[in-house]
Amino acid sequence: MAPNAPASALISLDHEELVVRRGRRTGVYTIVAVHSTTLGRALGGCRMWRYESSADAARDALRLSRAMTFKAAAAGLSLGGGKAVISLPPGPPPTGRARRSVLEDFGDTVSVLEGAYVTAEDVGTSSRDMTVIAERTKWVSGLPRGRGGSGDPSPITAIGVEAAMRASCHRVFGSSSLKGRTIAVLGAGRVGSRVARLVSRAGAKVLLTDIDESKRSVARELKNTRWTDPTTALLADVDILAPCALGGVIDGHNVDRLRCTIVCGAANNQLAHDGFADDLAARGILYAPDFIANAGGLINVATELDPEGYDAARTKRRALGIEATMEHIYDEADKASVTPLAAAYALARRRLAEAGTELQ
């Protein structure tokens, strides 16, 4: 989401449903956007975050839900696209009883959709939060393993991102090895810290950053890892720039100043606008479409919903398959002389068209 976009400019709507409710317990706005259920129930995480306005929160849910449709379709999953947002007031995130009340309000919102949307964790929420939400609605995934769920999906998301990095390195450098590569990881949260650990273990030199200075401890734990500030990491001369926090990090202010060779990370909507994919291509920077690279979390939760039940080994194999999917997208982009983002959208649209719908 472009940070300076006017609140009135929601986006061009092609969604099935948008539910905005003010919680009866807390007065906090909870929002669910269902973009498409063509391939199955809409599945997407619940983001708990502070927004300048409820319109900004709705815009985020709309954009994220649309991306989830394409992510599920491109990954070959029988799921639709949805996303939820809990729009927090200014101040620190709620804890204790106040947090429970917010989550209960959100659970009531999910129930309103009667199964069209299944929620899971996202930025600001956890598998523990899912257990509270599950007290108000049955349409919850990503529960702790002790409750029969798959638990935290971030390890599988990180595995998929590393797989996408290997495909990208193979395309640019002729080798899929990350050994000796320099990687700037923007965001040291649950996914970003795991991505940093994986690539450090693979022999990469890591530049790590986060707006939360307490995450500096992650850098101290890892080999060949240095902590820096977000702006320095974003504009560093590195092989791979890995946005792993919130979206919109690549915008008109910095796209011409990037000094990376590849952009491949875990964040959703890394580009403030899809048109920046053309700007990256014009500069010779390979962009790994985010909804392909970060599909591991969705794959993890989708496996939890399999009739035969959750299987960790099967889930990991599916996440590792992101490397082959990304290679295919790069091949298709070369053949059609388009950006990898355009090729990724084309892959998703083909599957959606086969199911009987056309999406722009």
Side-chain angles (χ1 to χ4, degrees):
M1 177 174 62
N4 297 319
S8 60
L10 276 178
I11 61 172
S12 178
L13 290 175
D14 56 356
H15 295 64
E16 294 178 9
E17 294 188 79
L18 176 64
V19 177
V20 181
R21 299 178 81 238
R22 190 169 187 175
R24 65 178 179 82
R25 300 170 185 83
T26 64
V28 169
Y29 281 101
T30 58
I31 301 167
V32 177
V34 175
H35 181 254
S36 172
T37 56
T38 298
L39 297 176
R41 297 185 193 278
L43 176 63
C46 170
R47 174 168 295 187
M48 187 185 293
W49 198 251
R50 296 176 301 280
Y51 293 88
E52 291 186 8
S53 70
S54 56
D56 286 335
R59 185 188 305 114
D60 206 16
L62 290 165
R63 286 197 63 193
L64 290 165
S65 64
R66 183 175 184 272
M68 292 299 293
T69 294
F70 289 106
K71 183 187 296 190
L77 302 174
S78 297
L79 293 169
K83 208 73 173 185
V85 164
I86 298 174
S87 182
L88 294 178
T95 58
R97 181 64 228 179
R99 187 178 188 88
R100 167 172 281 274
S101 294
V102 168
L103 294 169
E104 288 174 342
D105 279 344
F106 172 67
D108 290 343
T109 300
V110 174
S111 290
V112 167
L113 286 142
E114 299 180 329
Y117 166 73
V118 180
T119 197
E121 66 178 270
D122 201 317
V123 175
T125 59
S126 66
S127 59
R128 181 178 297 177
D129 292 330
M130 296 304 111
T131 63
V132 177
I133 296 167
E135 295 175 9
R136 304 297 306 175
T137 179
K138 66 179 180 179
W139 305 111
V140 182
S141 59
L143 292 167
R145 296 201 175 183
R147 292 284 303 272
S150 59
D152 181 5
S154 60
I156 299 298
T157 304
I159 286 171
V161 172
E162 185 189 26
M165 287 180 176
R166 288 196 298 270
S168 302
C169 284
H170 185 264
R171 180 65 41 159
V172 174
F173 304 116
S175 169
S176 61
S177 175
L178 300 181
K179 187 175 183 179
R181 298 291 167 206
T182 53
I183 302 175
V185 179
L186 278 60
R190 286 197 303 269
V191 177
S193 62
R194 291 181 184 277
V195 169
R197 292 179 195 281
L198 287 175
V199 299
S200 173
R201 195 178 304 153
K205 300 173 184 177
V206 182
L207 199 59
L208 184 62
T209 190
D210 196 284
I211 59 173
D212 182 355
E213 278 288 325
S214 71
K215 302 293 185 181
R216 185 187 289 263
S217 61
V218 177
R220 290 195 291 265
E221 296 171 14
L222 304 179
K223 293 173 56 178
N224 301 318
T225 299
R226 182 166 61 88
W227 180 266
T228 190
D229 65 273
T231 300
T232 298
L234 176 66
L235 302 178
D237 186 2
V238 294
D239 294 316
I240 303 174
L241 176 66
C244 293
L246 295 179
V249 67
I250 297 174
D251 57 25
H253 298 294
N254 58 46
V255 69
D256 292 327
R257 300 167 62 202
L258 299 180
R259 294 192 292 162
C260 57
T261 305
I262 296 165
V263 175
C264 179
N268 289 306
N269 297 330
Q270 293 166 30
L271 308 182
H273 186 278
D274 285 352
F276 290 119
D278 297 297
D279 295 318
L280 291 174
R283 296 199 56 221
I285 298 174
L286 182 66
Y287 175 59
D290 49 27
F291 62 87
I292 304 295
N294 66 16
L298 181 61
I299 289 169
N300 183 76
V301 178
T303 308
E304 179 182 326
L305 301 178
D306 281 353
E308 59 266 38
Y310 184 77
D311 180 87
R314 184 170 70 250
T315 305
K316 184 176 180 179
R317 287 195 300 271
R318 289 178 176 176
L320 290 171
I322 289 174
E323 182 171 358
T325 301
M326 194 66 79
E327 286 277 14
H328 173 71
I329 285 167
Y330 290 148
D331 287 341
E332 291 296 304
D334 287 346
K335 288 178 187 176
S337 298
V338 298
T339 66
L341 181 60
Y345 277 136
L347 173 64
R349 288 189 182 106
R350 282 197 298 273
R351 184 150 193 258
L352 288 162
E354 290 167 2
T357 190
E358 296 276 348
L359 288 177
Q360 298 302 312

